[in-house]
Amino acid sequence: MSTLSNLLLTTDRTPARPAQVPVRETPDPALPTAERINWLRAGVLGANDGIVSIAATVVGVAGASTGVSALAIAGVAALVAGALSMAAGEYVSVSSQRDAERVLRDRGLLDAEVGLTNPWHAALASLVAFVAGGLVPLLVVLAPWGGGRIVATFVAVVVALVVTGSVSARLGGAPAGRAVLRNVVGGSLAMAITYGIGTLVGLAV
């Protein structure tokens, strides 16, 4: 048999497969948008800051004074000031992010169909979440616990920080244990330090 015949017999005659046409994936409507993620992030951070800052404030005041009126004045003042500060800070931060997104979109580096982040949404979410989170330690410390006021506040704050830590980890796709531990340790240190300082100030005056 000739060499040409051998080549014809050994040649793979399987028809070639048609080239695969890439399929453009459409966005899943069930997935959260960047704007929604930003809104949720502002809410979680606002709640966490409200819990820790108001808890540290009222526990610090409780270390210096056991009067309920002093706790109420300090707690409400810190709640209002903190909520407004968080909202203003979030608005400025997200506004800068929105400006950067607008520049990228104008230069064709960002899809024109992608919605820009909204600083008003982030500011409102942060303000409402801060107030909601700050009310937890404020209401607990003002309750008639007697000598167990500080302990009850500490327990309530730890539970609240576990919740916010779990939610923040779920939003970021991170392990919940690490986020919860970080929240609880940070909040506990804040309360312990401010309580100690409040006690020293109370003894001094």
Side-chain angles (χ1 to χ4, degrees):
M1 185 177 296
S2 64
T3 305
L4 179 60
S5 300
N6 290 333
L7 290 175
L8 292 175
L9 290 175
T10 57
T11 300
D12 185 7
R13 298 182 180 179
T14 304
R17 296 180 180 179
Q20 297 293 329
V21 178
V23 179
R24 184 178 181 181
E25 296 182 357
T26 57
D28 188 353
L31 295 177
T33 60
E35 183 176 355
R36 183 184 177 191
I37 291 176
N38 186 71
W39 183 84
L40 292 173
R41 176 194 61 81
V44 172
L45 291 178
N48 192 73
D49 287 347
I51 294 168
V52 174
S53 61
I54 302 305
T57 299
V58 296
V59 168
V61 174
S65 173
T66 57
V68 177
S69 59
L71 292 175
I73 293 172
V76 172
L79 187 67
V80 174
L84 295 177
S85 176
M86 282 292 297
E90 196 68 30
Y91 177 82
V92 172
S93 175
V94 178
S95 293
S96 299
Q97 178 182 343
R98 184 184 180 90
D99 293 340
E101 292 173 349
R102 185 178 289 111
V103 171
L104 292 176
R105 188 177 64 180
D106 293 341
R107 295 182 179 180
L109 301 177
L110 185 66
D111 193 348
E113 297 179 359
V114 176
L116 301 179
T117 53
N118 192 317
W120 288 107
H121 291 173
L124 180 61
S126 182
L127 186 147
V128 173
F130 186 96
V131 172
L135 283 175
V136 173
L138 180 58
L139 294 178
V140 173
V141 80
L142 294 179
W145 300 101
R149 189 186 309 276
I150 303 300
V151 176
T153 304
F154 183 86
V155 172
V157 168
V158 168
V159 173
L161 290 177
V162 169
V163 174
T164 57
S166 301
V167 173
S168 63
R170 183 176 181 181
L171 291 177
R178 184 179 303 175
V180 169
L181 180 63
R182 201 163 45 226
N183 265 16
V184 171
V185 171
S188 300
L189 286 175
M191 286 188 292
I193 292 172
T194 53
Y195 179 75
I197 294 175
T199 302
L200 293 176
V201 172
L203 293 176
V205 298

